[in-house]
Amino acid sequence: MNKSLQHMTNNQFFQFEADFVESLRCIPMQVRIKLDTCGVKLKLSHWHQFDQQERQALVSLPCSTETEAQKYREFLQNLVQEKSGAPAGELPLDPHPAWLDQTSIPQDLQTKLAESNLNITIEQWSKLTPVQRFALIKLSRPSHENKNFLPALKEFQLI
């Protein structure tokens, strides 16, 4: 696993997530990056079956090294199996995830920025933390509800 994953998350919530962070009714970005890191496709319906303590565990548990990712995956899959009777789907693990690449802004993000007549430079991109880059990538996907895209750009001081 890439060394920069070791400093990837610090269990911080973003301001644009404030409307649901207290209840954890939606899957926060810091958990979503762990899902991509450990290769589990967790549905919102699964998340809603977890109690507050289980959701908090998924926020708090580390998932930066290969060993931590494997333990996180096992914990999560056991939890999903226990709640729903079947394991969660799997995601292919990307050996070079875009959020760790400081030198290239992903095309979906560039397209989303252009739709809003905005632009960010490689220098700005490279100064973001991996979890900030992850959030922007997720929020810029065409299939994602994008109401938090502009708030995220503002929070990250990009606009």
Side-chain angles (χ1 to χ4, degrees):
M1 188 165 283
N2 191 310
K3 260 177 144 180
S4 40
L5 281 180
Q6 293 177 3
H7 303 290
M8 179 174 63
T9 59
N10 60 358
N11 294 336
Q12 100 182 41
F13 293 105
F14 293 117
Q15 290 172 19
F16 68 80
E17 299 176 306
D19 62 329
F20 64 81
V21 161
E22 228 166 279
S23 66
L24 288 175
R25 66 176 166 80
C26 293
I27 304 170
M29 286 293 171
Q30 61 177 295
V31 171
R32 294 177 65 189
I33 195 170
K34 292 174 183 182
L35 296 173
D36 281 20
T37 300
C38 77
V40 175
K41 183 171 180 57
L42 187 71
K43 296 178 180 174
L44 191 56
S45 60
H46 292 136
W47 182 255
H48 287 156
Q49 291 177 324
F50 304 154
D51 64 31
Q52 193 69 19
Q53 187 176 357
E54 291 161 337
R55 291 177 189 179
Q56 191 57 52
L58 292 170
V59 168
S60 302
L61 285 171
C63 188
S64 299
T65 65
E66 283 185 44
T67 302
E68 289 172 350
Q70 183 60 35
K71 287 180 180 176
Y72 192 91
R73 175 188 180 88
E74 289 169 10
F75 175 81
L76 178 57
Q77 287 290 26
N78 287 336
L79 197 55
V80 172
Q81 179 80 36
E82 176 186 309
K83 300 288 183 175
S84 68
E90 295 186 3
L91 296 169
L93 293 177
D94 185 346
H96 307 289
W99 64 86
L100 292 179
D101 184 352
Q102 298 176 356
T103 64
S104 178
I105 301 170
Q107 187 57 53
D108 280 351
L109 178 54
Q110 291 181 42
T111 300
K112 183 67 180 167
L113 287 163
E115 288 171 5
S116 303
N117 293 318
L118 299 170
N119 186 38
I120 61 172
T121 65
I122 288 292
E123 183 181 6
Q124 289 172 304
W125 177 252
S126 69
K127 289 180 180 177
L128 296 173
T129 66
V131 74
Q132 288 173 323
R133 288 192 295 269
F134 176 86
L136 290 177
I137 291 167
K138 289 294 184 186
L139 293 171
S140 66
R141 291 202 170 145
S143 61
H144 193 277
E145 178 193 334
N146 298 313
K147 72 176 181 151
N148 287 325
F149 183 70
L150 289 175
L153 289 171
K154 288 176 185 169
E155 181 175 342
F156 303 160
Q157 300 177 348
L158 296 171
I159 56 171

